[in-house]
Amino acid sequence: MRRIKDDGLRHKVTGIVRNLRTRSYSGGSMLLFDFEDETGSIPVVVWNDGFDKFEKIFKVDNTYTLHNVQAKANARNSDRVELKIYQDTRADAAIA
């Protein structure tokens, strides 16, 4: 995942969900997890608009291909990149 940059483009990535957790905030809920492949891992944030769609889909240690995700610089640390999942993101589970 180290090769993904904050370039304003949407990407297709495949990886394993790790450290899945939810958080509540004043505007609703968010889903957080690490997305890992053989090159490393990257944090993923699913904001309120995608939370309802994805909270029941993602499972720890399962592999998914995510279509239409965007890499964004972290608001607190611009050297750190996160993947943002949107309502129009598609998640395909890998078949074992």
Side-chain angles (χ1 to χ4, degrees):
M1 296 293 168
R2 293 177 206 164
R3 64 193 173 278
I4 295 177
K5 306 286 183 218
D6 182 356
D7 55 11
L9 302 174
R10 298 284 181 109
H11 299 273
K12 177 177 120 178
V13 294
T14 299
I16 301 169
V17 171
R18 306 279 192 211
N19 304 315
L20 181 67
R21 58 216 180 273
T22 59
R23 292 236 170 102
S24 296
Y25 65 101
S26 60
S29 299
M30 60 193 295
L31 189 64
L32 305 161
F33 59 91
D34 296 320
F35 204 53
E36 180 182 295
D37 70 5
E38 66 279 352
T39 65
S41 68
I42 189 167
V44 176
V45 179
V46 182
W47 289 101
N48 205 34
D49 61 341
F51 181 84
D52 292 335
K53 177 179 177 181
F54 291 108
E55 74 161 326
K56 293 181 176 118
I57 293 175
F58 293 126
K59 306 291 183 213
V60 173
D61 296 331
N62 284 5
T63 301
Y64 300 90
T65 298
L66 303 177
H67 304 265
N68 209 23
V69 297
Q70 188 172 20
K72 293 283 222 172
N74 180 288
R76 294 185 190 137
N77 180 356
S78 61
D79 292 333
R80 187 172 178 205
V81 174
E82 302 172 330
L83 288 181
K84 303 293 185 189
I85 292 182
Y86 298 96
Q87 186 66 27
D88 63 348
T89 298
R90 189 177 92 223
D92 296 329
I95 298 172

